[in-house]
Amino acid sequence: MKTYIKLFALSSLLTLGACSQDFLENEPYTDKVTENFYKTPSDAFEGLIAVYDVLQREAYGGPLLISEQASDDCFGGYGIADAQTDIEWDRFSYVSDKDMNKDVWSNAYLGIYRANILLENLGKVNWGSDTALKTRYEAEARFLRAHFHFTAAKMFGDIIPLDHTVTTSEFELPRQAPEVTYALIASDLKFAADNLGPENYSQAGNANYGRITKWAAEAYLARTFLFYTGTYGKADLAGVVSKAEATAYINDAVNNSGHGLVADFANLWLAASFENFAGEDNTEMVWAVRFNGSGKGNWDLHEGNRFQVNIAPRGGSIGKYATGWGGATVNPKLVDSYEAGDTRKAASFIDYAGENLNFDPQAREQRQYTGYSWKKYCPITNAAGTAVVEANGGNFQIDNYQDYAIIRFSDVLLMAAELNLQSNPALAQADYDRVRDRAFKNTTHRKTVSLENIMKERQLELALEGLRYFDLIRQGMTVTKAAIDNNTGDSQFNVTFRTETQGWFPLPQSQIILSNGTITQNPGWN
């Protein structure tokens, strides 16, 4: 049976040239199939673009939004008449017939499938003398395969690692132990880190901005190392990468990548800086998923950032902030944890009272109103008060265009501080200081580096960027529960983290049913 592949142009990443095909050829004209497609480097490039394309689907509000709602940084939010799904994430409850997490699971495995299709067909391409290009495409595809595996593994725990496209006899494969999955992830990331060149695409106007680099692979290796070793109490990354190797990789990214910190934290975020916005292709962005507003209301396209509407102010634009659904309201405990003079506070959150914005939660039907919402990623209005995306002919729900930053250089510095803490405390201190110095715009707020201080700095620096929940999980259930449990006296904000879940989210019920008993639900979610 032929395997049909649909190729998507990721126009926000790269622009593909026009392709021609002789209409007299006896191969299918309207369908591209693996048996006749992979012949030229251009074909392989299209296959690579198809893998990248899946990244844009992750910004519909999947792992980023779900994990923030589950963390101590946010509540569920949305409208009082909206579905209860988001309250359930906030309160660690579950309704199986909603097939919760279906998109998280399916998008991860769609990405894995497309990566495997490409990797299995690279050998069919006539590369001529350009074998380096083949290695580059393999490295990018393997990085992306690792990313999709990690996206699922950090959400669900045990998953089904796939280093090949499955046959019909493998449709009911069981989940594997973590070390099996993470050995594949580590091998893929190591290959990418060792085989990609020293290019840094984070410069204004660089056509390759958004593509995987050596530096992104090194940073991602450190991220997976810290999560796996912390969560599972291991000394190395599944026997593939030692702590010394992970430390060497992250130090290389710090010292040799050419990435750096934007001088003003606020300039990283459009809604916080406007005219001083550093641009999305700035030096701090080690890796980001790219978006644009070219869809113009076409729901069949996936070019826009569909996540942004979820966290924007509910019930209409207010001031410079464009309208949205009011999801994931910010916990005041997070806002209050910033010290005086920390520029990240005003740049990260909309403070309705503090900014003299007349936000009436009853009139806007806002659930779990806290007085704060996301400034990071919030869409903006123009001078006339119209959402910029609509003024440009787009739909405010699907055509927002801000990129999703997966790895910033400040995260690289904090991971380096953590990995160097025992072996080179002076270097750890220097990396840690760089983040705090930028936050306060001076050197008078430095603290002695420690694991506790690093973890707190990660919460403040990387708030609302999809990392907090997983940083808690890797510190253990006691730490996680102490941070997430909440009882303010107002029952709508009561949260009790259930340690019996071990921090894993429930598997989509549809996958359990389709597995015919091979897959069972995660603990605590039956």
Side-chain angles (χ1 to χ4, degrees):
M1 182 173 65
K2 292 181 177 179
T3 301
Y4 286 80
I5 52 176
K6 188 173 183 181
L7 303 175
F8 298 86
L10 183 53
S11 60
S12 59
L13 174 64
L14 297 167
T15 302
L16 297 178
C19 298
S20 62
Q21 183 176 1
D22 190 334
F23 74 98
L24 295 177
E25 290 179 351
N26 292 323
E27 296 173 340
Y29 180 73
T30 58
D31 292 304
K32 296 178 180 180
V33 296
T34 54
E35 288 81 357
N36 66 35
F37 180 68
Y38 287 98
K39 296 178 179 179
T40 69
S42 178
D43 295 338
F45 183 66
E46 288 194 56
L48 180 61
I49 292 298
V51 188
Y52 272 100
D53 177 75
V54 181
L55 295 171
Q56 293 178 309
R57 301 172 187 234
E58 293 185 345
Y60 289 8
L64 170 61
L65 186 59
I66 291 170
S67 67
E68 287 297 337
Q69 291 169 314
S71 80
D72 56 334
D73 285 353
C74 297
F75 296 104
Y78 287 95
I80 58 175
D82 286 344
Q84 294 296 306
T85 303
D86 301 291
I87 286 287
E88 286 155 3
W89 289 140
D90 179 34
R91 296 177 179 174
F92 297 92
S93 59
Y94 174 63
V95 179
S96 62
D97 62 7
K98 291 182 180 178
D99 209 14
M100 296 164 74
N101 289 325
K102 177 183 177 182
D103 289 343
V104 177
W105 182 278
S106 62
N107 286 338
Y109 279 99
L110 175 61
I112 293 167
Y113 170 75
R114 290 188 182 181
N116 282 333
I117 283 284
L118 175 61
L119 290 167
E120 290 171 358
N121 285 280
L122 287 177
K124 298 178 182 179
V125 172
N126 181 8
W127 297 96
S129 61
D130 198 356
T131 56
L133 185 61
K134 176 185 177 182
T135 301
R136 176 184 179 182
Y137 287 3
E138 180 181 357
E140 290 184 67
R142 289 184 65 173
F143 175 101
L144 291 168
R145 182 171 69 179
H147 166 71
F148 293 124
H149 274 112
F150 184 58
T151 297
K154 70 182 181 180
M155 292 281 290
F156 303 116
D158 295 353
I159 62 167
I160 306 165
L162 297 174
D163 63 357
H164 63 283
T165 54
V166 297
T167 63
T168 54
S169 64
E170 297 176 298
F171 283 172
E172 296 175 7
L173 288 171
R175 294 195 284 175
Q176 296 292 322
E179 56 265 28
V180 178
T181 296
Y182 281 90
L184 177 59
I185 292 172
S187 296
D188 281 347
L189 292 174
K190 194 172 188 302
F191 184 89
D194 292 345
N195 287 278
L196 288 170
E199 295 83 7
N200 178 329
Y201 303 132
S202 296
Q203 304 110 20
N206 191 310
N208 284 314
Y209 173 61
R211 289 185 76 166
I212 306 306
T213 65
K214 172 185 181 68
W215 318 116
E218 290 184 334
Y220 215 115
L221 249 178
R223 178 177 290 181
T224 54
F225 179 92
L226 289 168
F227 182 80
Y228 176 79
T229 56
T231 302
Y232 297 104
K234 302 295 184 179
D236 59 31
L237 181 51
V240 178
V241 177
S242 68
K243 184 175 183 180
E245 290 173 314
T247 304
Y249 278 121
I250 199 67
N251 287 345
D252 189 36
V254 170
N255 297 323
N256 301 312
S257 66
H259 287 286
L261 296 177
V262 168
D264 191 327
F265 179 86
N267 293 348
L268 289 166
W269 315 104
L270 184 59
S273 60
F274 293 90
E275 65 275 3
N276 295 317
F277 181 48
E280 293 173 313
D281 45 2
N282 64 73
T283 185
E284 191 161 337
M285 296 303 173
V286 179
W287 185 42
V289 178
R290 305 215 61 193
F291 294 97
N292 63 62
S294 65
K296 305 299 183 187
N298 186 340
W299 288 81
D300 293 328
L301 298 179
H302 304 279
E303 298 299 313
N305 187 336
R306 300 188 184 186
F307 162 74
Q308 290 183 256
V309 71
N310 288 278
I311 53 86
R314 184 171 184 83
S317 299
I318 183 168
K320 59 187 179 182
Y321 309 113
T323 188
W325 306 138
T329 52
V330 176
N331 191 336
K333 183 175 68 173
L334 169 62
V335 181
D336 293 342
S337 64
Y338 287 81
E339 300 170 57
D342 192 332
T343 63
R344 296 172 297 192
K345 178 178 178 179
S348 299
F349 317 110
I350 300 173
D351 176 356
Y352 291 101
E355 297 179 38
N356 295 315
L357 299 170
N358 184 21
F359 188 98
D360 184 340
Q362 291 187 330
R364 291 173 177 260
E365 300 184 342
Q366 173 69 61
R367 184 170 59 192
Q368 292 181 302
Y369 178 70
T370 65
Y372 302 100
S373 62
W374 299 41
K375 190 172 291 185
K376 289 181 179 179
Y377 297 116
C378 186
I380 62 171
T381 60
N382 60 18
T386 302
V388 171
V389 64
E390 292 185 312
N392 292 335
N395 183 301
F396 79 100
Q397 300 174 88
I398 62 174
D399 291 326
N400 284 300
Y401 49 83
Q402 292 181 42
D403 295 349
Y404 166 33
I406 298 184
I407 305 173
R408 289 196 290 113
F409 189 67
S410 59
D411 186 11
V412 174
L413 288 170
L414 291 173
M415 289 191 290
E418 188 172 350
L419 284 166
N420 284 286
L421 188 59
Q422 300 302 321
S423 59
N424 193 339
L427 182 58
Q429 184 71 59
D431 290 333
Y432 175 70
D433 286 345
R434 290 178 68 179
V435 178
R436 286 194 58 87
D437 291 352
R438 196 265 298 267
F440 290 92
K441 295 186 177 182
N442 59 51
T443 61
T444 62
H445 287 79
R446 292 180 176 179
K447 295 182 177 179
T448 300
V449 67
S450 66
L451 183 58
E452 180 181 3
N453 284 341
I454 291 171
M455 298 308 296
K456 186 60 180 180
E457 205 64 34
R458 290 184 62 81
Q459 182 186 23
L460 302 175
E461 173 72 22
L462 304 168
L464 313 180
E465 296 182 47
L467 298 176
R468 172 61 175 172
Y469 183 77
F470 306 109
D471 278 347
L472 290 174
I473 294 302
R474 65 185 177 93
Q475 296 177 77
M477 293 298 96
T478 301
V479 171
T480 303
K481 183 172 179 61
I484 291 177
D485 279 4
N486 190 73
N487 185 355
T488 64
D490 186 336
S491 61
Q492 67 173 318
F493 297 111
N494 288 354
V495 178
T496 301
F497 176 77
R498 296 189 295 110
T499 56
E500 63 268 26
T501 68
Q502 300 174 31
W504 307 124
F505 290 94
L507 297 166
Q509 189 66 19
S510 59
Q511 295 302 314
I512 296 173
I513 294 171
L514 289 170
S515 76
N516 289 325
T518 304
I519 297 175
T520 57
Q521 186 55 272
N522 275 334
W525 295 107
N526 290 320

